[in-house]
């Protein structure tokens, strides 16, 4: 987080009005190469083979981010990364994003500009050529970012989570557990004496310089490995947004198989969320592409979704309804 930049200073969204705010935001966003970009009622985006994938995700202040711990750029980056990762998990290349922001009236415009900068930085780093092609602004008591992402399949069939076959290799690409370790440190060291998220405590504790905290704020999903997996013949794939164990359970149930882990992973790597890596299955004779590495094998469906050393692994992870009670929001 840039200590020299105060996004909370300057005119507010209520003072400038929608048109002026839109102008200041759109000038900072990546446009990509749509057939028709922002400015009309809809954008027009090419789908070369007549098909595309689409996904949507929200980030809400409280359960998904805290201003005490994240800068506006962090929030924009994370909102982009989480949606780009979902597109990649289908084997598609991200082609466009649509963003809706709902902000309290007293929000400084610089905060929205910072979010736009975060989107630009994330797209440039993770999915060059993708653009922000439209969106909407509204007001709300709770700051909310909603993103819809589109992806180009490149003439390939989408990779579903339901296609794993007995004998397939189970592989992951990306990091496991770093974002969860970063969040744990923020909850430990980035709080005041009442346990509320606190910027001063975060700085004083040194958490700002922790690379795991940085990964919590700005995940780096392996976007290019999604299309690579599709080309390499991946039979099933999904984004590891909620934790390896819970997402492996989703893939196992969708494919009606059991996944057997062959590697020793700690509890944070198994159950921590928000790394946004990719979990995929490949034919046994396939060469694993990109950053994918083998972690297990697909077995016939048994009583458990996920096994390790013959014992069931609880398929638990991040659940916003179960894991967040509104405290410190």
């Amino acid at each position: 987080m840039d200590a020299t930049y105060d996004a909370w200073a300057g005119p507010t969204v209520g003072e400038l009005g929608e048109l002026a705010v839109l102008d200041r935001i759109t000038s900072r966003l990546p446009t990509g190469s749509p057939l028709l970009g922002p400015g009309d009622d809809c954008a027009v985006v090419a789908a070369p083979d007549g098909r595309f994938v689409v996904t949507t995700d929200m980030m809400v202040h409280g359960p998904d981010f805290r201003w005490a711990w994240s800068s506006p750029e962090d929030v924009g980056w994370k909102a982009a990364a989480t949606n780009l990762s979902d597109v990649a998990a289908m084997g598609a290349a991200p082609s466009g994003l649509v963003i809706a922001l709902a902000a309290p009236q007293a929000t400084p415009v610089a905060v929205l500009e910072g979010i736009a900068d975060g989107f630009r930085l994330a797209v440039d780093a993770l999915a060059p050529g993708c653009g922000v092609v439209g969106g909407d602004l509204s007001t709300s008591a709770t700051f909310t970012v909603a993103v819809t992402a589109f992806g180009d399949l490149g003439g390939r069939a989408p990779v579903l989570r339901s296609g794993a076959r007995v004998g397939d290799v189970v592989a992951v690409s990306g990091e496991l557990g770093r974002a969860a370790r970063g969040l744990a440190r923020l909850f430990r060291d980035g709080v005041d004496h009442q346990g509320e998220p606190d910027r001063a405590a975060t700085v004083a504790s040194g958490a700002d310089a922790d690379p795991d905290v940085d990964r919590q704020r700005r995940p780096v999903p392996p976007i290019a490995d999604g299309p690579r997996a599709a080309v390499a013949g991946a039979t099933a794939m999904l984004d590891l947004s909620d934790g390896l164990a819970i997402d492996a359970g989703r893939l196992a149930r969708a494919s009606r198989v059991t996944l057997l882990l062959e590697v020793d992973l700690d509890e944070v790597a198994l159950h921590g969320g928000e790394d946004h890596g990719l979990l995929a299955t490949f034919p046994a004779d396939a060469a694993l592409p990109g950053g994918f590495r083998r972690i297990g094998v697909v077995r016939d469906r048994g009583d458990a979704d996920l096994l390790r050393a013959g014992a069931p692994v609880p398929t638990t992870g991040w659940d916003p309804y179960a894991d967040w009670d509104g405290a410190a929001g």
Side-chain angles (χ1 to χ4, degrees), residues 20 44 50 54 86 107 110 126 133-134 144 153 164 173 196 217 223-224 229 233 255 261 266 301:
V44 180
V54 60
D86 281 337
T107 304
L126 302 173
V133 298
T144 302
L153 289 164
S173 177
E196 297 291 320
R217 293 168 171 161
I223 304 301
S255 295
L261 290 178
D266 64 27
R301 179 67 184 176

Side-chain angles (χ1 to χ4, degrees), residues 5 8 11 17 19 24 35 63 80 93 135 140 155 174 215 246 258 298 304 317 326:
Y5 172 61
W8 296 93
L19 291 179
R24 292 178 66 154
L35 301 180
S140 170
R215 279 295 181 267
I246 192 171
T258 291
V298 179

